[in-house]
């Protein structure tokens, strides 16, 4: 069987960085390109971080294309508190600026690549959905030629992480999330319900040793976010939100999915960006996504540590 061709749309971000590592180190996948968006950090920074991660992996031949600098209809906000002001826990100061360059025009790049490989590509989105929604607005028909779209975002039966009911990626750009959830794509949603069950501990990173340059980079990049979680969440580690979105494509048996009608609240004062799932027993609303509701956390962590930390 051939490798599964994927595109990634990221706001790199510590866990986006780890997701890129898992994707590139997974022989089941062929990464055809990476687009970047504002989210954890402004887009110029998420782009530079993406290029740096690719250099660390020796994968700079993969095209990187920068996208939206701001959400569709709102002012951006970032997550520097969790990811550090550079988005990678301060580690970028220890490395020269990447020598590779990114293109411009993420939505166009997504559409062009999908048109070249109709029915073949899976898009994995791990940031706010601004680029993906823009591509849908420009050419929804082309976007329907994706084999599938996997989105890390939302909180279905658990509390949010930036607001009482809201998860970061959807809260940054609710209008974009609403467009993507409403587009009728073959969508798999990877919400906090499952991503908060996969925790990489500092011990996992320490046990992997400090032998190679990538291990030192990972240790440096994860230290601050792990300290943040130790101080605010009571565990010395971090959630592997975005890597799980890649894991679901590498091995779909890691999760159990449930078809659900999920819509995005765009007007609520307290709830803008909330993923509202119709969980009524006799709901007749048509499903909009397959939502991951259970994960084999230990098996995913094993896969992740074997492929990324060793
Ligand atoms: C999501 O928000 C970002 O901070 C992470 O990179 C992840 O994509 C989790 O809510
Ligand atoms: Ca992210």
């Amino acid at each position: 069987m051939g490798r599964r061709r994927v595109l990634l749309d990221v706001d790199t971000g510590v866990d986006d960085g780890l997701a890129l590592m898992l994707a590139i180190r997974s022989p089941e996948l062929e990464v055809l390109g990476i687009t970047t968006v504002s989210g954890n950090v402004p887009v110029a920074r998420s782009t530079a971080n993406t290029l740096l991660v690719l250099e660390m992996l020796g994968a700079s031949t993969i095209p990187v294309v920068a996208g939206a600098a701001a959400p569709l209809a709102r002012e951006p906000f970032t997550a520097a508190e969790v990811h550090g002001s550079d988005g990678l826990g301060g580690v970028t100061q220890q490395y020269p600026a990447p020598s590779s360059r990114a293109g411009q025009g993420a939505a166009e790049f997504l559409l062009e690549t999908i048109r070249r490989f109709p029915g073949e590509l899976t898009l994995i989105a791990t940031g706010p959905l601004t680029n993906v929604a823009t591509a849908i607005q420009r050419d929804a028909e082309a976007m329907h030629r994706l084999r599938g779209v996997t989105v890390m975002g939302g909180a279905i039966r658990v509390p949010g992480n930036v607001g009482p009911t809201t998860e970061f990626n959807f809260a940054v750009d609710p209008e974009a999330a609403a467009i993507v959830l409403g587009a009728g794509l073959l969508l798999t949603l990877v919400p906090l319900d499952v991503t908060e069950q996969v925790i990489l501990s500092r011990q996992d990173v320490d046990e992997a040793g400090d032998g190679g340059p990538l291990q030192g980079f990972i240790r440096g990049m994860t230290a601050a976010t792990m300290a943040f979680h130790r101080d605010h969440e009571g565990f010395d580690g971090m959630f592997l939100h975005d890597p799980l979105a890649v894991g679901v494509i590498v091995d779909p048996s890691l999760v159990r999915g449930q078809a659900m009608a999920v819509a995005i609240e765009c007007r609520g004062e307290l709830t803008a960006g909330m993923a509202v799932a119709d969980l009524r027993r006799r709901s007749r609303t048509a499903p909009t996504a397959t939502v991951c509701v259970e994960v084999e956390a230990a098996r995913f962590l094993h896969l992740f540590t074997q492929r990324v930390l060793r």
Side-chain angles (χ1 to χ4, degrees):
M1 262 199 11
R3 292 194 292 164
R4 184 148 171 169
R5 291 178 159 150
V6 300
L7 294 164
L8 287 114
D9 184 65
V10 295
D11 63 331
T12 315
V14 178
D15 62 325
D16 301 80
L18 296 174
L20 290 169
M21 292 176 191
L22 179 59
I24 288 163
R25 290 225 161 157
S26 287
E28 299 86 353
L29 306 185
E30 181 185 2
V31 180
L32 292 193
I34 301 164
T35 51
T36 59
V37 67
S38 278
N40 289 320
V41 282
V43 68
R45 191 67 248 169
S46 70
T47 307
N49 290 350
T50 302
L51 293 170
L52 178 59
V53 168
L54 293 189
E55 282 191 6
M56 295 305 303
L57 290 164
S60 295
T61 51
I62 297 175
V64 176
V65 182
L72 293 183
R74 294 170 193 251
E75 290 300 311
F77 65 89
T78 61
E81 182 177 59
V82 182
H83 296 264
S85 59
D86 69 347
L88 290 181
V91 83
T92 58
Q93 290 162 13
Q94 297 163 35
Y95 294 83
S99 54
S100 45
R101 293 264 166 274
Q104 294 290 328
E108 259 334 296
F109 173 81
L110 292 174
L111 289 167
E112 277 165 21
T113 316
I114 294 162
R115 289 183 199 118
R116 276 175 52 211
F117 300 97
E120 278 189 48
L121 300 187
T122 301
L123 172 60
I124 305 172
T126 65
L129 290 166
T130 322
N131 292 336
V132 184
T134 303
I136 292 169
Q137 286 176 324
R138 290 198 190 154
D139 190 347
E141 198 261 322
M143 291 297 276
H144 279 90
R145 283 186 250 148
L146 280 164
R147 175 168 169 186
V149 182
T150 298
V151 168
M152 190 281 128
I156 304 297
R157 292 185 175 97
V158 299
N161 60 0
V162 285
T165 62
T166 47
E167 178 281 328
F168 179 81
N169 290 335
F170 286 5
V172 169
D173 198 341
E175 286 72 21
I179 289 169
V180 175
L181 268 294
L185 301 169
L186 270 176
L187 193 75
T188 302
L189 196 60
V190 186
L192 295 182
D193 306 55
V194 282
T195 66
E196 289 189 341
Q197 293 184 40
V198 287
I199 294 175
L200 180 71
S201 69
R202 196 185 297 261
Q203 198 184 341
D204 294 329
V205 175
D206 287 347
E207 280 173 5
D210 215 351
L214 189 65
Q215 287 170 332
F217 183 74
I218 292 172
R219 187 187 291 251
M221 146 178 149
T222 54
T225 189
M226 288 186 171
F228 173 89
H229 287 87
R230 184 193 59 214
D231 298 344
H232 295 89
E233 303 265 5
F235 65 88
D236 199 2
M238 60 176 284
F239 298 119
L240 291 179
H241 303 288
D242 296 343
L244 184 59
V246 173
V248 164
I249 300 302
V250 169
D251 181 356
S253 75
L254 288 166
V255 287
R256 183 171 75 80
Q258 187 182 333
M260 275 186 208
V262 181
I264 306 298
E265 173 60 70
C266 290
R267 278 182 291 227
E269 252 176 68
L270 301 172
T271 54
M274 178 181 177
V276 181
D278 190 345
L279 299 171
R280 290 174 293 178
R281 276 185 305 281
R282 283 171 290 132
S283 164
R284 294 212 178 95
T285 322
T288 56
T290 299
V291 178
C292 299
V293 293
E294 281 173 20
V295 56
E296 287 187 42
R299 197 153 69 80
F300 172 69
L301 273 165
H302 181 74
L303 176 95
F304 179 84
T305 49
Q306 290 303 311
R307 290 188 177 188
V308 176
L309 300 184
R310 305 282 172 218

